[in-house]
Amino acid sequence: MSSGTLDHKCPNCSATLKFNPHGQNWTCEYCRSAFNREEIEAYEAKRGNVLEETSEEVTLEKDANGMDIYSCPNCGAQIVADENTTATFCVYCRSTAILKNKLVGEFNPAYVIPFQNTKEDAIKAFKSIGKGRPFMPKEFSSQKNINEIKGVYIPFWIYDFHVNGSIEADAKRVKTWTSGDYQYTKTDTYVVFRDGNMDYHRIPVDGSTHFADDIMNSIEPFDYKGLEKFSHSYLSGFLAEKYDVESKDAAVIAQERARNSTINTLKSSIGGYTSVVVSRESHQLEMLKDEYVLLPVWMLNIKYKDKIYPFAMNGQTGKMIGDIPLDKKKAIIWWILILVGTFLVCTVVWLIGGIL
């Protein structure tokens, strides 16, 4: 069985290297050496540890559940992954295993935004959500659960569009005044037209069915100035997925976002009226470009009372989203203690007043 995997070794001591978000380089935890992208790529090319579009297809074994079986490049242990995983870890030696047959051809991303935040940053951000929440369930403060937070490169499609849009709106201007004992209202109705051309750059759409779209939308925006030409080196130390939503399907969502933005922008240009209601709209949309990219997200799922509560942090900007439920038992105990305490204070005051 071919290993079908890539890893990264320190040029100085051959230990496993990981990408360092703060330094934007690759650091060795053993000899403390640090390397930039050019140095890593040159060394990996020398080792022959590269992705090749024309490389022979890797023949993989399957387990009883149909999962792909790889061989860890560091210790030789078996690594099991589903069809969408592109980077994972060996459960024995914790080395990164980049699954090279999942990153070639149509599944080779054009760009990647490297992680800017570390796991420690993500844990700190998660803990800040729980501050000032006395009724937070203990599962959400458990260090064991918090340590399960993982950095994942999520597949996204990004689109450029040119849109020509127009709207017709019913606009009303209402004026009210009082004269003597009477109040008067005058309503003027107008038909207003607007049209315009707009260009949209890099509208993102989540390309994986494994991640909830509302969560991915909530951690936007990403700063696309941070896009780097894709290199599998950036995956070192992180998990990664390949897309399972085709570009043509994801484009439907991006088109709707472009359409809504166009209509809302045209509507917002109509000022000076009490109310504006769009009665007719039309648009012509041209997709100029679609690109497959990987975007960084810190993910944590915590189970509480048979429900999974997901948390996500934008691995570039640090924006964290997620909901923490109320522990009703804690709340009830807290209110009982307050009532008992209040009763005791009132009783003491009453007794002292009786004695005096």
Side-chain angles (χ1 to χ4, degrees):
M1 177 181 64
S2 172
S3 70
T5 58
L6 300 171
D7 66 344
H8 293 290
K9 300 294 186 183
C10 173
N12 292 336
C13 71
S14 297
T16 301
L17 288 178
K18 293 183 180 179
F19 179 70
N20 177 11
H22 284 172
Q24 291 295 293
N25 57 13
W26 287 258
T27 57
C28 177
E29 297 178 350
Y30 294 90
C31 70
R32 303 298 180 183
S33 299
F35 308 91
N36 61 33
R37 175 174 167 173
E38 290 73 21
E39 291 170 328
I40 287 296
E41 290 183 346
Y43 179 69
E44 297 297 356
K46 185 178 179 180
R47 292 177 62 208
N49 197 35
V50 295
L51 292 173
E52 296 181 5
E53 291 287 339
T54 58
S55 60
E56 295 182 4
E57 184 177 352
V58 178
T59 301
L60 299 173
E61 292 183 7
K62 300 279 186 179
D63 70 1
N65 297 313
M67 303 282 277
D68 294 331
I69 299 177
Y70 295 83
S71 177
C72 173
N74 192 48
C75 70
Q78 286 190 343
I79 296 173
V80 179
D82 67 20
E83 63 179 358
N84 291 319
T85 300
T86 58
T88 185
F89 296 99
C90 173
V91 297
Y92 296 97
C93 69
R94 302 305 297 167
S95 297
T96 301
I98 300 168
L99 314 182
K100 58 187 179 183
N101 65 313
K102 307 287 183 70
L103 289 167
V104 295
E106 62 183 304
F107 294 110
N108 187 25
Y111 298 99
V112 58
I113 292 181
F115 274 87
Q116 301 286 323
N117 301 300
T118 64
K119 182 175 183 177
E120 289 71 25
D121 296 329
I123 290 175
K124 183 178 179 181
F126 173 76
K127 287 182 176 180
S128 68
I129 294 180
K131 289 182 178 179
R133 297 174 183 256
F135 307 137
M136 180 176 69
K138 64 180 181 180
E139 287 85 351
F140 291 80
S141 59
S142 166
Q143 195 62 43
K144 180 180 178 181
N145 286 340
I146 294 174
N147 285 338
E148 289 301 309
I149 197 165
K150 291 181 172 58
V152 186
Y153 280 105
I154 310 294
F156 272 78
W157 292 102
I158 55 176
Y159 301 89
D160 290 354
F161 291 108
H162 176 76
V163 183
N164 182 296
S166 64
I167 63 171
E168 178 182 318
D170 296 325
K172 293 183 179 181
R173 185 176 291 131
V174 180
K175 181 180 179 182
T176 302
W177 70 95
T178 301
S179 178
D181 295 332
Y182 296 94
Q183 185 179 59
Y184 299 89
T185 300
K186 179 185 178 184
T187 302
D188 295 318
T189 302
Y190 304 87
V191 177
V192 183
F193 299 89
R194 290 287 188 274
D195 63 67
N197 296 300
M198 300 179 195
D199 290 311
Y200 296 91
H201 299 285
R202 291 170 173 166
I203 296 177
V205 178
D206 176 12
S208 172
T209 57
H210 290 179
F211 304 95
D213 290 341
D214 58 341
I215 293 179
M216 293 300 105
N217 293 340
S218 296
I219 62 173
E220 291 181 18
F222 287 88
D223 182 359
Y224 294 109
K225 292 180 181 178
L227 283 172
E228 298 284 349
K229 184 179 178 182
F230 176 74
S231 167
H232 69 274
S233 301
Y234 288 113
L235 307 187
S236 184
F238 299 96
L239 302 175
E241 296 258 327
K242 69 180 180 67
Y243 71 82
D244 60 359
V245 177
E246 297 293 335
S247 175
K248 61 182 178 60
D249 297 320
V252 175
I253 299 173
Q255 289 169 0
E256 186 63 15
R257 294 180 70 173
R259 187 197 72 83
N260 289 336
S261 294
T262 300
I263 301 307
N264 290 335
T265 300
L266 292 174
K267 181 180 178 181
S268 67
S269 71
I270 303 175
Y273 298 95
T274 307
S275 65
V276 176
V277 177
V278 176
S279 58
R280 183 190 62 81
E281 61 95 355
S282 65
H283 69 279
Q284 294 80 44
L285 184 147
E286 179 186 3
M287 187 171 75
L288 303 177
K289 181 167 48 174
D290 67 329
E291 292 178 309
Y292 172 39
V293 302
L294 296 181
L295 303 182
V297 180
W298 287 102
M299 299 288 298
L300 176 63
N301 294 311
I302 295 180
K303 186 176 182 180
Y304 175 65
K305 290 189 175 181
D306 297 323
K307 181 179 178 181
I308 299 297
Y309 289 84
F311 294 84
M313 188 179 93
N314 186 312
Q316 180 192 39
T317 67
K319 181 180 180 181
M320 170 74 81
I321 63 100
D323 294 320
I324 295 179
L326 174 72
D327 187 330
K328 294 181 180 179
K329 184 177 179 180
K330 277 188 178 182
I332 291 172
I333 293 174
W334 190 80
W335 282 111
I336 289 175
L337 291 174
I338 289 179
L339 291 173
V340 171
T342 302
F343 174 76
L344 291 174
V345 170
C346 292
T347 300
V348 171
V349 171
W350 179 77
L351 290 173
I352 292 174
I355 293 173
L356 297 176

